[in-house]
């Protein structure tokens, strides 16, 4: 049975982007937020989006007007009783989300599917806050949600098959690619991308390279549009730090670098110089190897936990992060011996187990 309408809780960057993608697909969408100013900002953002689509001749005026007519903005939580799917998109904090879901209990029909857009928290830790946790799952969109094609579809411990199937079809209907995975902090993409950005900061902390020098190496090695420091400035170091902190259950390897803590807590952006001094080749190779090792290790650890298939890591890297040279493809190209050589220093230093088991799923 297809999902015919939905509510999104949270009118911020992610909630607004999700709303736009649903409106563009012709779905009646309610957006709920406690802040009227946030709702006003979203109303302008939605109109601006469809105006741009019209100016690019991607839609007609009638289609734009129709999409706008499907949007309802409100501060009233009781409106969720009329929808088939609810997507929570509030701040990435376990207690904030749990408190919200506890409030929703009073208005939720038993048949309504409830999803969280969490990027790193365990879905099952949130599912316990509602009745009938079998209808609860993760739908993790990537920014900008109105444009990025990937959504991680996360099965909680009690999520039933019908809930998964209906949400898979919902994602298809709204033009998204669903990446199916099991429940674990960080899921698939953040599980490797957060350590990748964290290692870039460690290299900077150790004065191995400047922000621009490290970005330049990363861009070349992984065929990226922009490097890790530039990405952190887009998503904000504060949010990136929060995502890294949410991976702490996986071990000390995931502990945030000192510079990451400092920048995240100060809520400042990284300064990236325009014309970085050229690095000597040995230092370039050293940075390459460190970034590869820090990227490959969490993937091998996640594979050993059977979070998803190896190919899905490349799907995530390519669609969500625009990696031209995705990680599994890179591992296959350099061979298992070289992969072990790159990850072993981390595995030993941080006592990471099951690297060999993870490798067995690739080679």
């Amino acid at each position: 049975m297809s999902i015919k309408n939905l509510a999104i809780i949270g009118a911020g960057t992610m909630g607004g982007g999700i709303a736009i993608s649903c409106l563009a697909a012709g779905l009646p969408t309610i957006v709920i937020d406690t802040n009227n100013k946030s709702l006003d900002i979203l109303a302008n953002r939605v109109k601006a989006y469809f105006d741009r689509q019209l100016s690019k001749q991607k839609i007609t005026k009638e289609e734009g007007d129709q999409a706008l007519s499907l949007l309802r903005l409100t501060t009233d939580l009781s409106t969720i009783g009329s929808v088939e799917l609810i997507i929570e998109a509030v701040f990435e904090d376990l207690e904030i989300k749990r408190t919200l879901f506890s409030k929703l209990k009073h208005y939720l029909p038993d048949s309504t599917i409830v999803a969280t857009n969490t990027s790193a928290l365990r879905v099952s830790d949130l599912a316990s806050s509602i009745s009938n946790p079998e209808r609860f799952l993760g739908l993790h969109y990537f920014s900008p949600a109105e444009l990025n094609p990937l959504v991680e579809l996360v099965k909680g411990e009690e999520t039933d098959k019908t809930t998964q199937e209906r949400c898979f079809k919902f994602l298809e209907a709204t033009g998204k690619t669903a990446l199916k995975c099991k429940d674990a902090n960080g899921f698939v993409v953040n599980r490797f991308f957060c350590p990748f950005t964290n290692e870039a900061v460690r290299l900077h902390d150790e004065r191995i390279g400047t922000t621009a020098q490290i970005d330049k190496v990363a861009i070349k090695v992984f065929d990226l549009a922009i490097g890790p420091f530039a990405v952190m400035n887009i998503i904000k170091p504060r949010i990136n730090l929060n995502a890294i902190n949410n991976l702490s259950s996986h071990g000390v390897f995931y502990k945030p670098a000192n510079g990451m803590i400092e920048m995240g807590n100060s809520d400042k952006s990284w300064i990236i110089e325009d014309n970085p001094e050229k690095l000597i080749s040995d230092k370039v190779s050293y940075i390459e190897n460190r970034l590869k090792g820090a990227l490959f290790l969490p993937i091998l650890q996640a594979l050993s936990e059977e979070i998803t298939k190896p190919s899905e890591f490349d799907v995530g890297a390519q669609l969500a992060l625009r990696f031209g040279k995705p990680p599994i493809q890179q591992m296959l190209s350099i061979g298992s011996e070289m992969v072990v050589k790159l990850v072993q220093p981390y595995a030993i230093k941080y006592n990471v187990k099951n690297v060999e088991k993870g490798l067995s799923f690739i080679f």
Side-chain angles (χ1 to χ4, degrees):
M1 185 171 63
S2 62
I3 288 168
K4 296 181 176 64
N5 53 34
L6 74 152
I8 297 161
I9 303 178
T13 301
M14 290 306 300
I18 297 167
I20 290 170
S21 73
C22 294
L23 293 168
L27 286 177
T29 304
I30 300 170
V31 179
I32 306 166
D33 200 289
T34 56
N35 190 324
N36 276 306
K37 185 178 178 181
S38 296
L39 294 172
D40 290 341
I41 291 169
L42 177 58
N44 292 328
R45 177 183 167 190
V46 172
K47 186 176 185 308
Y49 173 84
F50 288 107
D51 283 348
R52 283 195 304 274
Q53 296 301 94
L54 177 60
S55 69
K56 294 175 183 177
Q57 299 184 327
K58 292 186 176 181
I59 60 171
T60 65
K61 185 176 186 306
E62 290 72 23
E63 287 169 334
D65 290 342
Q66 172 63 16
L68 290 172
S69 74
L70 296 172
L71 176 63
R72 179 181 174 188
L73 304 173
T74 182
T75 58
D76 184 4
L77 266 182
S78 69
T79 56
I80 63 171
S82 63
V83 300
E84 297 178 359
L85 169 66
I86 295 165
I87 302 176
E88 165 273 310
V90 301
F91 185 70
E92 190 73 348
D93 179 275
L94 182 63
E95 290 311 313
I96 289 174
K97 290 179 187 286
R98 276 179 170 165
T99 300
L100 171 63
F101 289 126
S102 293
K103 289 180 181 177
L104 295 186
K105 282 180 184 177
H106 305 294
Y107 309 109
L108 275 176
D110 289 342
S111 59
T112 305
I113 294 173
V114 184
T116 174
N117 182 54
T118 180
S119 62
L121 297 170
R122 286 184 75 248
V123 167
S124 301
D125 289 341
L126 295 167
S128 60
S129 300
I130 70 163
S131 57
N132 304 338
E134 63 273 10
R135 42 92 178 250
F136 191 95
L137 81 168
L139 292 179
H140 175 220
Y141 287 73
F142 291 84
S143 189
E146 63 268 39
L147 300 175
N148 199 302
L150 190 75
V151 179
E152 289 176 321
L153 196 163
V154 187
K155 180 186 182 299
E157 290 171 4
E158 297 186 63
T159 309
D160 66 25
K161 191 174 180 181
T162 301
T163 297
Q164 281 183 283
E165 288 175 351
R166 290 189 70 196
C167 285
F168 184 84
K169 289 176 181 176
F170 158 75
L171 293 175
E172 276 190 327
T174 54
K176 302 298 184 183
T177 298
L179 193 166
K180 291 182 179 180
C181 60
K182 291 182 182 177
D183 189 17
N185 291 95
F187 313 131
V188 175
V189 176
N190 274 350
R191 180 69 176 267
F192 67 82
F193 187 67
C194 285
F196 170 68
T197 60
N198 199 39
E199 190 63 19
V201 177
R202 282 196 190 115
L203 287 162
H204 183 259
D205 286 350
E206 295 165 24
R207 301 183 185 277
I208 305 298
T210 66
T211 54
Q213 287 170 335
I214 296 165
D215 269 5
K216 192 173 181 180
V217 174
I219 287 167
K220 181 185 175 185
V221 173
F222 299 103
D223 188 16
L224 300 168
I226 57 175
F229 288 99
V231 172
M232 284 187 277
N233 280 351
I234 291 172
I235 62 178
K236 304 302 177 190
R238 173 179 61 88
I239 293 172
N240 198 62
L241 172 62
N242 194 59
I244 291 170
N245 283 330
N246 286 333
L247 299 178
S248 61
S249 63
H250 295 305
V252 290
F253 167 69
Y254 298 84
K255 182 181 177 182
N258 291 334
M260 186 73 76
I261 295 169
E262 181 184 340
M263 293 301 289
N265 287 339
S266 68
D267 203 17
K268 294 179 181 177
S269 294
W270 294 99
I271 297 171
I272 304 171
E273 66 271 29
D274 292 328
N275 298 298
E277 184 180 334
K278 188 174 181 180
L279 291 169
I280 61 171
S281 59
D282 284 355
K283 196 169 269 193
V284 171
S285 297
Y286 181 75
I287 293 171
E288 283 184 10
N289 291 341
R290 287 273 298 269
L291 290 175
K292 284 182 179 178
L295 185 69
F296 295 163
L297 183 71
I299 290 174
L300 295 176
Q301 188 183 31
L303 285 171
S304 74
E305 299 161 12
E306 300 183 41
I307 298 301
T308 194
K309 300 179 294 185
S311 60
E312 298 294 75
F313 286 94
D314 278 2
V315 169
Q318 289 171 310
L319 292 185
L321 305 171
R322 299 292 187 262
F323 271 62
K325 296 176 182 176
I328 300 296
Q329 188 183 110
Q330 286 223 22
M331 284 192 246
L332 288 169
S333 69
I334 63 176
S336 59
E337 264 186 54
M338 180 56 74
V339 173
V340 170
K341 186 176 179 181
L342 291 169
V343 302
Q344 203 164 39
Y346 293 102
I348 293 169
K349 181 177 180 178
Y350 298 104
N351 194 30
V352 178
K353 307 294 185 185
N354 293 329
V355 170
E356 293 80 7
K357 183 180 177 183
L359 281 167
S360 70
F361 287 95
I362 301 173
F363 297 97

